[in-house]
Amino acid sequence: MTHTLAAEPGDALYRRVTLRLIPFIFVCYLFNYIDRVNVGFAKLQMLDALNWSETVYGLGAGIFFIGYVLCGVPSNLALTRFGPRRWIGVMMITWGALSAALLLVNTPLQFYGVRLLTGAAEAGFFPGIVLYLSQWYPDRRRGRIMALFMSAIPVSGLVGGPFSGWILGHFAAGQGGLAAWQWMFLLQGVPTLLLGLLAFVLLSDSVATTGWLSPAEREQLQAELDADARHKPVRSDHSLKAVFAEPLVWVLGFIYFCIQSGVYAINFWLPSIIKSLGFADPLVIGWLSAIPYLLAGVFMLLVGRSADLHRERRWHLVVPMLMGAAGLLIAVNFASTPALALLGLSIATMGALTGLPMFWPLPTAFLSAGVAAGGLAIINSVGQMAGFLSPYVVGWIKDQTGSTDAALYSLAGLIVVGAIVALKVAAPGRGKPALAKV
């Protein structure tokens, strides 16, 4: 049976909601991701300027996620208490200021401390946005919406790569007493702070409290969300004990960990890998790093649309994950051929980044409102542990062997394991989720 999204009732209303919410949230997530991974470009000059090793960089890049993991659940619970508008604004102002403050670090301990605090400050942003969108869109519409929202990740690479490369080149001689890498942290941190102030004005806390919808429109949206909630297979109370005791939360967290292992390997090491292919100019590295992200952005939107059109989730997740693993293997085995290595990195980026939005409709479809706030934060926190382990392990292995090959082989294998587990999780709408035979 062929599904058609054009025939869905309420399309005009949801288009209006999307145009109101998604552009601003998209820009916020764009700078969220730029601020998180711009240390990958700063590394090109920062390590030599401060006389740091690859291991110091890897630990500093990864320690961000210790703060992120520790504060993920309480931050998401705070969002439900204080409201998305206020809490998202506070988070963005705080992490924007901390991200800009990286220009002041001189020692590894200072680097570790600021990164740790930055991770803690933004811990609730992503799971909070996932929860927020689930309170506006029913499950059948979340594939495309999550793809639209999370396309900010490849766009951050598409825009952030050339922008970071331009800053490093333009300010190479240093201006105003700051080195180029310091200017990069300043120019990319301040916009986040300003966006945080705008969040207080532009976001609405919920369907029920928004002033830009008519009473009839609010009633229509709420009725669809209520109907969707009645079909959630996993229900529980609001206690953290109940959330931590739900096995599916941990299975989904492991799958997300596997996806993020590949994503962060690409995000933090793509500029360095491209440099190792023989390219020295920071601007050239920036433009070349934009190619995989451009392809990933297009692929992500196409797969998101297909997932909603066919009402299918597992294979739309598993196939991109396997692409991510295959792309890493191609990049490793053809490192001596820049064109093929860049092709491999592009396939890896397309697959790994597309796995992110294709993953999140699964937990939001499975988990009831009582589990969602804590459950989504736990899943995200487990996944983000990869953000600590992946760059640190890659840096350590490179220091020990002089190459990232062994690390990328290991990450590719981990992604394959995650894809197998994802394949065994029953699709939403087909009964209680469980580890089922394929």
Side-chain angles (χ1 to χ4, degrees):
M1 181 177 179
T2 302
H3 299 287
T4 173
L5 293 173
E8 289 278 352
D11 275 355
L13 176 56
Y14 280 104
R15 277 195 295 270
R16 184 180 172 196
V17 171
T18 299
L19 288 173
R20 175 74 185 214
L21 297 180
I22 297 302
F24 178 69
I25 291 174
F26 176 92
V27 173
C28 291
Y29 194 42
L30 174 68
F31 277 95
N32 171 251
Y33 227 77
I34 288 176
D35 288 344
R36 186 184 303 181
V37 303
N38 59 7
V39 290
F41 271 92
K43 171 183 179 289
L44 299 176
Q45 297 180 358
M46 192 178 185
L47 265 61
D48 289 337
L50 299 177
N51 196 29
W52 291 352
S53 69
E54 296 281 351
T55 303
V56 167
Y57 164 74
L59 181 57
I63 205 169
F64 167 99
F65 297 96
I66 300 297
Y68 194 106
V69 169
L70 291 175
C71 295
V73 174
S75 183
N76 216 35
L77 294 177
L79 182 141
T80 64
R81 178 174 181 179
F82 298 110
R85 182 174 58 87
R86 286 185 290 272
W87 193 248
I88 288 172
V90 167
M91 283 191 291
M92 295 190 69
I93 291 169
T94 306
W95 98 61
L98 286 167
S99 183
L102 279 169
L103 68 89
L104 301 174
V105 303
N106 290 301
T107 68
L109 284 179
Q110 291 173 347
F111 183 43
Y112 301 155
V114 175
R115 288 286 291 176
L116 182 71
L117 292 174
T118 307
E122 71 163 82
F125 178 77
F126 178 77
I129 292 294
V130 173
L131 179 62
Y132 184 61
L133 293 177
S134 73
Q135 295 169 348
W136 287 85
Y137 296 92
D139 174 61
R140 70 180 186 279
R141 294 181 181 270
R142 286 182 202 146
R144 286 187 301 171
I145 291 302
M146 288 303 300
L148 277 172
F149 161 52
M150 297 191 73
S151 63
I153 300 176
V155 172
S156 72
L158 180 63
V159 175
F163 183 38
S164 298
W166 176 82
I167 293 173
L168 293 179
H170 181 76
F171 293 96
Q175 295 184 27
L178 298 178
W181 60 270
Q182 293 173 307
W183 275 108
M184 190 188 72
F185 285 130
L186 179 64
L187 294 178
Q188 294 179 351
V190 170
T192 300
L193 192 152
L194 299 176
L195 286 167
L197 295 173
L198 284 175
F200 286 95
V201 179
L202 297 181
L203 290 182
S204 300
D205 278 329
S206 66
V207 170
T209 60
T210 185
W212 46 269
L213 292 174
S214 69
E217 289 171 329
R218 290 197 296 269
E219 185 178 339
Q220 179 181 345
L221 289 178
Q222 194 60 55
E224 289 206 33
L225 292 169
D226 291 343
D228 204 47
R230 287 192 291 270
H231 295 89
K232 302 284 186 183
V234 178
R235 298 174 178 273
S236 187
D237 55 49
H238 292 260
S239 70
L240 279 180
K241 181 179 179 181
V243 176
F244 276 102
E246 175 53 57
L248 184 65
V249 168
W250 298 102
V251 174
L252 293 170
F254 173 76
I255 296 170
Y256 196 52
F257 176 88
C258 296
I259 299 171
Q260 288 285 29
S261 294
V263 169
Y264 283 115
I266 293 166
N267 286 336
F268 286 121
W269 290 94
L270 182 60
S272 298
I273 293 172
I274 291 176
K275 183 179 181 180
S276 71
L277 297 177
F279 301 96
D281 189 327
L283 185 58
V284 173
I285 294 173
W287 281 111
L288 288 176
S289 70
I291 294 173
Y293 288 111
L294 173 63
L295 296 174
V298 174
F299 186 65
M300 182 182 290
L301 293 175
L302 291 175
V303 173
R305 184 182 185 280
S306 174
D308 280 357
L309 184 65
H310 295 94
R311 308 282 178 86
E312 199 282 329
R313 300 299 182 199
R314 284 192 303 167
W315 287 106
H316 283 83
L317 169 61
V318 169
V319 171
M321 289 179 69
L322 294 177
M323 283 179 58
L328 288 177
L329 295 178
I330 292 171
V332 170
N333 286 283
F334 294 94
S336 60
T337 308
L340 289 177
L342 190 59
L343 173 63
L345 290 172
S346 297
I347 294 172
T349 306
M350 291 166 65
L353 293 189
T354 299
L356 295 176
M358 292 302 97
F359 168 81
W360 282 106
L362 291 180
T364 56
F366 288 147
L367 305 180
S368 68
V371 179
L376 294 178
I378 291 171
I379 292 168
N380 187 57
S381 294
V382 172
Q384 296 299 346
M385 289 179 185
F388 170 74
L389 293 173
S390 181
Y392 178 69
V393 168
V394 173
W396 182 81
I397 290 177
K398 186 175 182 182
D399 274 343
Q400 301 303 311
T401 67
S403 170
T404 59
D405 290 4
L408 296 181
Y409 276 124
S410 301
L411 292 172
L414 184 61
I415 296 171
V416 171
V417 172
I420 293 171
V421 176
L423 196 60
K424 291 180 175 291
V425 175
R430 297 180 183 177
K432 183 178 177 61
L435 293 183
K437 293 181 179 180
V438 178

